[in-house]
Amino acid sequence: MAEPAMSVTPYWELTFDADGDVDRAERDRLLAQVAERRVRDLVVFAHGWNSDRTGATRLYSHFFAPFPELTPGARTGYVGVIWPSMRFSDEPIPNFPRALAAEPPRRPALDKDTRHALLESFPGRAPIVEQIGRLLEQQPGDEAELAEFGRLVRLLVEVVAPGPQALFAADTVAEGVPQDEPVMFTRPAAEVCAEFAGALAGAEGFSLPNPWDGAHELLRQAAYYAMKRRAGTVGERGLGRVVGELAAAVPGVRVHLVGHSFGGRLVSFALRGLPEGVRTVASVTLLQGAFSHYAFASRLPYDPRAGGVLQGQQHRVDGPVVCCHSRHDTALGTFYPLASRMAGDAQGAVEESGVGQLLGVKWGAMGYDGVQAVPGTRAMPLAEALSGPLPASGCVNVDAAAVVCHGGPPAGAHGDILHPELARVVVAAGRIARPAA
């Protein structure tokens, strides 16, 4: 039965923990009821940074609302993925009107909502969170205090040497070995904070960078690294397995994976977790995907010995992988390259081309400029994607800047995804509107 606030029915939720383990009662209910209701097309949406079920469910309700009108007569069901992520209070919430969102305090203080989100996302680390909050509030002028801040942030997110979990945070691999390591924690914290502060000053129009603004950004990016790793884990070990179980229980069902921000990474890693031979996934739609634009590449332009961590996984989809991107997404256009470089490149602190172009080609994000270095990828503006049939397979880049264009600094339009046009892209990618056979 649909939740009271849900715009569509039938609707189910799947809850995963940080290790990718699913709530078994929810999974069993989904498997049974998809068969009972003879669902043919199942749209599965994974959120990005949300700290609670209520916010994620509201997002799903808003996004799914146009589907019944877009798919008349189709036997469609809907799933909302709930996974343990977090959100900083000054980041956009896709489903909250701006008037309802409280104005965040001026950085670098750790506001109560972000403090609560950190405690929820990193249980058992309350003393560390309190020390981090105290340093951000006091802003001591000693570089040693910035170094201590960096040490505490590292402890908070448990950055460890490469191991089984490292692959879930990596964007690229060479001979099966993850290339991305969080060197932002091995460089002097004062240098890292100064670089982040400079990026913020440029993005928000400040004239004098504050290193403690950079410290606040270091905390955000450390949490980003942890959530990036978690999204991959939940996708491969959690959602991918459930889709495999669904394929066995309901052989005729067609699954359409949709992900926003890190949810795009999650649903993409789910492809890697599919059991051998499963062809149940009929489409994938990535909305402002917060992961490398080289993720699906077999060879990297800057290193032919290496490839993307999801190389070739698009071939596991019995339909297209559609990547909606927008140049108005400041979170992915400026801070994603900076954070990604700091997470995996030990070279100089600031490139000669300036912060705004920080290795944009090497460290670009899916949601900013689309899938890169995958032969045969089609590219089109949103209007073209909506006016004719999308390619039936392969990677497709859809420039959604015409609608994904609202939002202020620092994230820009990263959360601006609640548009009926994007729902239409999902329907077109999955060919959901065609009459059931």
Side-chain angles (χ1 to χ4, degrees), residues 260-407:
H260 169 238
S261 187
F262 273 146
R265 183 180 182 87
L266 190 157
V267 299
S268 297
F269 268 72
L271 299 175
R272 210 169 65 174
L274 292 175
E276 192 66 32
V278 169
R279 300 291 295 178
T280 299
V281 177
S283 68
V284 176
T285 305
L286 308 174
L287 306 174
Q288 302 311 116
F291 61 114
S292 172
H293 56 193
Y294 292 136
F296 292 103
S298 297
R299 291 289 180 271
L300 305 182
Y302 59 86
D303 185 355
R305 301 167 300 172
V309 71
L310 297 171
Q311 53 189 277
Q313 292 298 323
Q314 68 271 21
H315 300 307
R316 306 207 67 183
V317 181
D318 192 22
V321 173
V322 178
C323 176
C324 294
H325 59 92
S326 171
R327 64 184 179 276
H328 303 299
D329 189 332
T330 312
L332 300 184
T334 298
F335 291 101
Y336 176 89
L338 179 60
S340 296
R341 184 174 63 80
M342 285 188 173
D345 186 6
Q347 297 179 2
V350 180
E351 313 307 322
E352 293 181 0
S353 58
V355 170
Q357 300 175 12
L358 278 171
L359 291 176
V361 173
K362 182 174 181 180
W363 295 117
M366 286 272 181
Y368 186 73
D369 60 3
V371 175
Q372 302 293 321
V374 175
T377 298
R378 291 276 307 279
M380 62 187 68
L382 180 61
E384 181 181 346
L386 297 178
S387 65
L390 287 170
S393 62
C395 294
V396 183
N397 289 329
V398 174
D399 185 347
V403 296
V404 181
C405 57
H406 302 99

Side-chain angles (χ1 to χ4, degrees), residues 160-323:
V160 296
Q165 288 289 318
L167 193 60
F168 295 114
D171 285 328
T172 58
V173 293
E175 298 180 351
V177 178
Q179 292 189 308
D180 299 334
E181 297 180 30
V183 297
M184 72 174 103
F185 298 111
T186 63
R187 288 176 48 199
E191 290 183 8
V192 175
C193 291
E195 188 166 345
F196 277 133
L200 283 166
E204 300 185 352
F206 302 144
S207 57
L208 294 175
N210 176 358
W212 283 99
D213 278 355
H216 185 280
E217 189 62 28
L218 173 61
L219 174 61
R220 184 206 306 270
Q221 299 301 345
Y224 156 92
Y225 180 86
M227 294 306 111
K228 174 183 178 182
R229 180 180 59 207
R230 189 172 290 180
T233 303
V234 173
E236 181 168 337
R237 293 186 174 178
L239 183 58
R241 292 176 180 176
V242 172
V243 172
E245 293 169 339
L246 185 64
V250 193
V253 72
R254 304 170 72 243
V255 175
H256 309 279
L257 299 178
V258 184
H260 169 238
S261 187
F262 273 146
R265 183 180 182 87
L266 190 157
V267 299
S268 297
F269 268 72
L271 299 175
R272 210 169 65 174
L274 292 175
E276 192 66 32
V278 169
R279 300 291 295 178
T280 299
V281 177
S283 68
V284 176
T285 305
L286 308 174
L287 306 174
Q288 302 311 116
F291 61 114
S292 172
H293 56 193
Y294 292 136
F296 292 103
S298 297
R299 291 289 180 271
L300 305 182
Y302 59 86
D303 185 355
R305 301 167 300 172
V309 71
L310 297 171
Q311 53 189 277
Q313 292 298 323
Q314 68 271 21
H315 300 307
R316 306 207 67 183
V317 181
D318 192 22
V321 173
V322 178
C323 176

